[in-house]
């Protein structure tokens, strides 16, 4: 159980998160844009009254972000004291990735900050995601400010 990972795909790239870090997976819905949010933030969703930022990984891969499609999924997790979700194309598996199959990301891709490690699974390479490193401290602050401004606009509209 401790080595179980949820494997998901973004474009042709396979990523993984430890299953203990995944709160749940839901069918993607339309996102509400957040003006002035960092580029990685695609928008927000309302999750039982909580505003949850949705992040994309395509930009990190040098691929242009795209609109949400019906088959997309939202992977809900938490990092840095904030609930967030990742927009992914599909969930492909739940796998046991032992420590012997993984190598630290910096060993293979020096300077990469948003991944914990790479794991070789047969002919596939899986990028193990670090949710806490998706946004740097400045982006976290910008997101908090953008969400606060958005909440202020909503209150003014009421």
């Amino acid at each position: 159980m401790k080595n179980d990972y949820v494997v998901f795909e973004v474009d042709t790239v396979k990523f993984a998160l430890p299953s203990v870090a995944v709160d749940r997976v839901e069918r993607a819905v339309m996102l509400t844009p957040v003006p002035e949010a960092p580029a990685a933030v695609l928008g927000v969703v309302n999750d039982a009254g909580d505003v949850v930022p949705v992040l994309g990984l395509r930009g990190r891969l040098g691929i242009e972000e795209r609109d949400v499609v019906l088959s997309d999924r939202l992977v809900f997790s938490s990092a840095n004291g904030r609930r967030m979700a990742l927009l992914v194309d599909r969930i492909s598996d739940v796998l046991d990735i032992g420590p012997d199959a993984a190598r630290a990301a910096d060993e293979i891709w020096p300077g990469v900050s948003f991944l914990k490690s790479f794991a070789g699974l047969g002919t596939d390479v899986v990028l193990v995601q670090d949710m806490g490193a998706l946004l740097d401290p400045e982006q976290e602050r910008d997101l908090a400010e953008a969400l606060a401004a958005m909440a202020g606009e909503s209150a003014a509209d009421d």
Side-chain angles (χ1 to χ4, degrees):
M1 175 76 181
K2 69 179 179 176
N3 292 323
D4 283 349
Y5 286 78
V6 175
V7 179
F8 55 91
E9 296 175 38
V10 174
D11 199 51
T12 60
V13 181
K14 289 189 177 186
F15 288 89
L17 277 174
S19 61
V20 296
V22 175
D23 296 335
R24 69 181 194 288
V25 176
E26 297 284 342
R27 192 175 292 272
V29 296
M30 195 152 135
L31 307 178
T32 301
V34 182
E36 306 300 320
V41 178
L42 304 176
V44 294
V45 293
N46 182 327
D47 184 41
D50 291 331
V51 175
V52 178
V54 176
L55 284 72
L57 294 171
R58 280 181 164 72
R60 297 279 184 155
L61 300 171
I63 303 168
E64 188 173 331
E65 293 292 350
R66 62 163 173 72
D67 291 334
V68 176
V69 296
L70 288 175
S71 60
D72 288 344
R73 298 291 182 257
L74 293 174
V75 179
F76 287 84
S77 186
S78 295
N80 303 328
R82 176 190 304 284
R83 290 187 61 229
M84 60 180 74
L86 288 175
L87 179 67
V88 306
D89 295 1
R90 70 195 127 290
I91 303 296
S92 53
D93 217 338
V94 176
L95 297 174
D96 178 44
I97 302 176
D100 55 325
R103 303 237 354 232
D106 205 41
E107 286 179 36
I108 297 169
W109 192 353
V112 69
S113 61
F114 66 99
L115 298 173
K116 278 190 181 177
S117 60
F118 291 84
L121 301 174
T123 59
D124 285 336
V125 173
V126 176
L127 309 179
V128 179
Q129 184 62 59
D130 182 355
M131 288 297 291
L134 277 173
L135 298 174
D136 65 32
E138 183 178 338
Q139 291 170 319
E140 283 279 353
R141 187 184 65 247
D142 292 347
L143 175 58
E145 290 171 2
L147 291 173
M150 190 175 168
E153 288 173 13
S154 294
D157 292 343
D158 290 344

